[in-house]
Amino acid sequence: EAGVAQSPRYKIIEKRQSVAFWCNPISGHATLYWYQQILGQGPKLLIQFQNNGVVDDSQLPKDRFSAERLKGVDSTLKIQPAKLEDSAVYLCASSLGGGPSYEQYFGPGTRLTVT
Amino acid sequence: DQQVKQNSPSLSVQEGRISILNCDYTNSMFDYFLWYKKYPAEGPTFLISISSIKDKNEDGRFTVFLNKSAKHLSLHIVPSQPGDSAVYFCAAWDGSQGNLIFGKGTKLSVKP
């Protein structure tokens, strides 16, 4: 079974530029998550989708971050404009459903460096 | 304000010995806890979990203990192997928000 795919793996941009990350979840997984992991911290949830609908985006800085999951499969996360404090690893995860009993499978992440 | 705390950033253990990783939480409403393991350049992978109705859950070499009155859980690895060297994250399920709250992680090094 293929895992969660993410691209690119690494990205370096200057502040005020824009960037987009892509995630392809495990086939059949209805729930998709985007996490931000700053160096030395644990992952922090940014947004959760159930199929193509947003379940929780309370931690997403909506003035600069946006995410979509068209057709309920792939998802993109965009930052525009980027700030220095956005430097982090952005992790995508998917699960069969929401709730603690559904294991979340994580992708390898995209490491973003903002200079 | 950290709701899930892993106060030891690192731990070094000899191969064959027991590794004990600790985690504290502040919200008594958390009712499900998970441990994830992360290797460099990879995403976290699920290791073991425990519901608040239990005080122990065992899976092979891995055992998680939960002390609800102390709001404390621990992960025991016996015997420790070099391949266990990784960062371990404790996470709690926040039912009111419907999401996982992660600690900062503990880097475990198992020396041959």
Side-chain angles (χ1 to χ4, degrees):
Chain A
E1 178 182 75
V4 176
Q6 290 187 248
S7 68
R9 292 296 309 276
Y10 305 91
K11 190 74 176 177
I12 300 174
I13 61 172
E14 295 182 352
K15 59 184 179 184
R16 292 186 289 273
Q17 287 187 322
S18 62
V19 64
F21 313 127
W22 173 82
C23 173
N24 180 234
I26 292 173
S27 177
H29 280 194
T31 308
L32 185 146
Y33 310 81
W34 282 102
Y35 288 87
Q36 179 192 58
Q37 186 180 9
I38 293 173
L39 186 65
Q41 306 286 323
K44 184 185 85 170
L45 180 71
L46 292 175
I47 188 168
Q48 177 183 344
F49 291 94
Q50 182 74 18
N51 296 309
N52 61 349
V54 175
V55 173
D56 179 11
D57 64 357
S58 58
Q59 304 265 41
L60 189 73
K62 298 181 187 65
D63 58 333
R64 298 184 301 106
F65 285 64
S66 64
E68 60 183 10
R69 191 183 183 198
L70 299 176
K71 300 180 182 178
V73 181
D74 293 4
S75 178
T76 55
L77 176 69
K78 297 179 181 177
I79 308 175
Q80 182 179 9
K83 293 185 175 181
L84 295 176
E85 61 259 36
D86 298 333
S87 294
V89 175
Y90 290 84
L91 294 162
C92 178
S94 70
S95 61
L96 282 170
S101 58
Y102 292 99
E103 182 177 339
Q104 293 187 26
Y105 295 82
F106 285 82
T110 296
R111 181 177 294 278
L112 174 67
T113 302
V114 182
T115 63
Chain B
D1 186 28
Q2 281 254 295
Q3 295 189 75
V4 177
K5 301 176 184 178
Q6 294 178 258
N7 293 319
S8 298
S10 64
L11 175 68
S12 183
V13 171
Q14 206 68 31
E15 181 180 6
R17 305 296 291 269
I18 185 171
S19 295
I20 300 176
L21 295 94
N22 294 303
C23 178
D24 298 292
Y25 60 96
T26 58
N27 191 335
S28 58
M29 297 301 291
F30 290 163
D31 60 4
Y32 201 86
F33 304 88
L34 306 90
W35 285 92
Y36 281 81
K37 175 180 180 179
K38 185 183 183 303
Y39 292 118
E42 295 183 12
T45 55
F46 169 75
L47 189 58
I48 191 169
S49 63
I50 187 166
S51 165
S52 61
I53 62 174
K54 295 185 175 181
D55 54 17
K56 176 183 175 181
N57 188 27
E58 191 172 353
D59 183 2
R61 297 185 297 113
F62 304 90
T63 303
V64 56
F65 295 92
L66 175 62
N67 182 334
K68 284 179 290 183
S69 60
K71 296 193 186 69
H72 177 84
L73 62 156
S74 60
L75 174 67
H76 293 212
I77 307 173
V78 183
S80 300
Q81 299 173 354
D84 296 329
S85 296
V87 176
Y88 289 79
F89 291 100
C90 172
W93 178 258
D94 183 345
S96 66
Q97 299 291 326
N99 58 38
L100 285 176
I101 309 294
F102 284 84
K104 291 185 177 183
T106 296
K107 183 176 182 179
L108 173 66
S109 299
V110 181
K111 300 184 177 182

